[in-house]
Amino acid sequence: MTRLKGLQMKDYWNSQLGCLKGCSEYLGIEMSESWLYGGTGVAFILSMDEQGFGAGAPWFHGPMMNLCNNLGFTVNGVYGFKSDDDFTVKQQMAWENTKNAINHGYPCYGYNLAIPEYYVVYGYESNGYLFTGYGAENQDEGDAGRIFVTPPAIKERLSVYGDEGYVPLENDETNELLIALAAKRGYILKGNLRMVHNGGIREIISDKGDMIVLQNDGPALTSYQMLGTMHIGLLEMYWVEPGRRSDPRDVVKESLAFALEHSRGPRKWVQPPYKAGLDAYELWVRAVEGSSPNIFALSYAGQCWAECRRHAASFLEESAVRIGGEPAVHLQVAGAIYRDISAHLQVAADLLPFEGKSADHYMQPERLAKLAAHIRQAKMLEESGLECLKKIVAALSS
């Protein structure tokens, strides 16, 4: 068993950034959260499809990794899909790379080791990754949260499914125990229940009610042969090494240049059905005002994009202080605009919190109308903000 003591991820909605912050801190690389979000370009990204999905879309695989090189660390790893002809080879490569990195003291992180989020990998044993992150901390959320420590009686009943990833739950006695557990915190499991299982963590999802998460027993451990086999079949496993820091002018210029290019939706980064930038805002509004809004997608995206724009404002303000001179004037103006964008998106996020409740809980017309209005306001401001970003890049390029 090999472990990196003290390696933890940060609790961000954009969980890959939470992994990067935890990994960089483990390596002794200090920076503000906003410098990480802004320097990687993440703070200024917006992507969306017609349902409202978009947070976590695969724009980051190339550009974000390259921009990390400006911040004092490099990211390397394995990326692929279950449908790839060499998928098992990639699984083995990810496993060997991770073991080698950890043996050399380099932190790692990967996707969907438990639920479809990113997790920090702090060690390995036998044939599995040891990881930490959402639902893997062996600590429930108290009276309000939807994460539960699995009671022994439920654990015994669910253990009969072994490592099956997607399981319809059809045993009445098992379901009654789960319904009673959820009800202790006001969650209602009704209709058909199914279990999504990976890495010892179980999501219990009801098609006409709420959802809860059951924690693993002991350290979170996922076999390397399971990596990339769940959810959409995406395999990602990375390691992080210390590198050089770029001058703040270069950090800002390159991250904003990328943000501007991404906002135009180039096919190399934005694949159908996603759109980016102002076009993504339009899809967002349509998804909210449609006949059947996807509350799950919209609530999660809302939290992620509000977090991004909050850090966008702080990044621009920090950049003005670091750089000074003529660019600082444009940075301050842009910072004020993105502060207003952040305010609107935070109200939108608060109107549709991501808390595991059923869609019916949020389907009031007045709520959705307010949500759409704030997204429209954010879009109008974003158009001005993008023009300011162009002026900043021009000033830093002269």
Side-chain angles (χ1 to χ4, degrees), residues 9 19 80 152 208 252 270 285 310:
M9 68 179 291
C19 291
K208 295 182 180 179
V252 176
V270 184
V285 171
R310 181 174 69 254

Side-chain angles (χ1 to χ4, degrees), residues 184 209 219 236 359:
K184 290 180 179 180
E236 291 184 274

Side-chain angles (χ1 to χ4, degrees), residues 133-178:
Y134 182 77
E137 304 297 338
N138 281 317
Q139 181 178 0
D140 68 28
E141 292 187 345
D143 294 334
R146 63 189 175 102
I147 299 179
F148 295 79
V149 172
T150 311
I154 292 178
K155 176 185 174 184
E156 181 179 356
R157 286 181 169 276
L158 296 181
S159 66
V160 301
Y161 298 106
D163 288 334
E164 289 185 62
Y166 292 85
V167 180
L169 298 176
E170 299 173 337
N171 181 279
D172 291 339
E173 293 182 3
T174 300
N175 290 356
E176 287 174 5
L177 290 173
L178 290 167

Side-chain angles (χ1 to χ4, degrees), residues 288-289 364-374 376:
V288 172
E289 295 182 333
Q364 301 83 31
E366 62 274 15
R367 180 196 297 267
L368 297 174
K370 290 178 182 178
L371 177 63
H374 281 285
R376 283 195 173 94

Side-chain angles (χ1 to χ4, degrees), residues 317-329:
E317 292 159 358
E318 183 176 344
S319 299
V321 174
R322 284 181 178 236
I323 295 173
E326 178 189 353
V329 176

